[in-house]
Amino acid sequence: ADPAAVRHVIGHVPQKPCFDPTATGWENLSLQGRIHGMPATTIKERSGELLERFGLADAAGRITKTWSGGMQRKLDVALGLIHRPQVLFLDEPTTGLDPEARAGMRPEIAGLTSSDGLTVLLTTHYLEEADQLAGRLAIVDRGTVVAAGTPDELKAALGGDPVQIELAEPAANGDARAVVGAVSGARDGAADG
């Protein structure tokens, strides 16, 4: 009913970079703050906080296209936080980062809920990332939620790893079931054909 009010309480970090590569870190944050209608003194203070928090203060005066991919991604997150939202949408925040930068970003994301009291909605294809960062998960397949719960609940529901065996001779089904049944921990075997 009130889209403008909603925009004031949410932050969004899209999958693709959203910063201006021809501007400095300070300039990017300042512009984002002005878009949100923040006073200049608040923008300066908040920008300084975010640049320090994400380890970008030393590079803040440099043009952002010269920054590393990890630094640029951290700036994208800072842009989404400039106006102190209550809910932050992070769309694939670590996609395209090298393993070191990805590992460094995870504690920053985890800290958003604990130190800032934010609700974070995170989309990711990295299951280990979802397991480490999420309090609750929803697994979506073609736009439909197919499973939801805590990471531990979802892992427990799996009950193990499925193994599919295709036989060259279907007549050997009985022999194959006997062999699989003898494997320690194997259960719920079924023959199809």
Side-chain angles (χ1 to χ4, degrees), residues 148-170:
T150 68
D152 288 340
E153 289 169 349
L154 293 176
K155 287 187 281 187
L158 287 176
D161 295 320
V163 176
Q164 180 176 335
I165 301 169
E166 292 186 27
L167 303 173
E169 298 178 28

Side-chain angles (χ1 to χ4, degrees), residues 67-184:
W67 292 13
S68 71
M71 292 169 69
Q72 291 174 348
R73 200 63 185 139
K74 288 178 181 181
L75 177 62
D76 279 332
V77 175
L79 292 170
L81 294 172
I82 189 78
H83 63 294
R84 296 185 190 277
Q86 296 171 20
V87 178
L88 182 66
F89 293 87
L90 291 173
D91 187 6
E92 302 279 353
T94 62
T95 297
L97 295 179
D98 62 67
E100 185 179 349
R102 184 179 307 131
M105 183 64 94
R106 286 185 184 151
E108 295 296 340
I109 294 168
L112 295 174
T113 56
S114 59
S115 65
D116 293 286
L118 278 173
T119 297
V120 177
L121 282 89
L122 167 77
T123 61
T124 183
H125 287 96
Y126 299 116
L127 294 180
E128 73 280 359
E129 189 168 271
D131 188 27
Q132 291 173 0
L133 296 175
R136 291 196 48 81
L137 294 172
I139 304 210
V140 179
D141 182 29
R142 296 184 187 111
T144 302
V145 175
V146 295
T150 68
D152 288 340
E153 289 169 349
L154 293 176
K155 287 187 281 187
L158 287 176
D161 295 320
V163 176
Q164 180 176 335
I165 301 169
E166 292 186 27
L167 303 173
E169 298 178 28
N173 243 348
D175 294 338
R177 288 189 74 170
V179 170
V180 171
V183 174
S184 176

Side-chain angles (χ1 to χ4, degrees), residues 6-58:
V6 171
R7 281 191 287 278
H8 283 291
V9 297
I10 65 171
H12 177 241
V13 180
Q15 183 176 0
K16 303 260 189 227
C18 59
F19 62 91
D20 178 354
T22 65
T24 67
W26 278 110
E27 291 166 342
N28 272 283
L29 287 163
S30 178
L31 174 61
Q32 189 73 1
R34 288 197 323 263
I35 289 170
H36 283 286
M38 297 169 62
T41 55
T42 305
I43 291 171
K44 184 176 181 181
E45 179 183 307
R46 181 68 172 150
S47 295
E49 288 172 16
L50 291 168
L51 290 165
E52 280 294 329
R53 175 182 188 163
F54 289 105
L56 302 172
D58 290 343

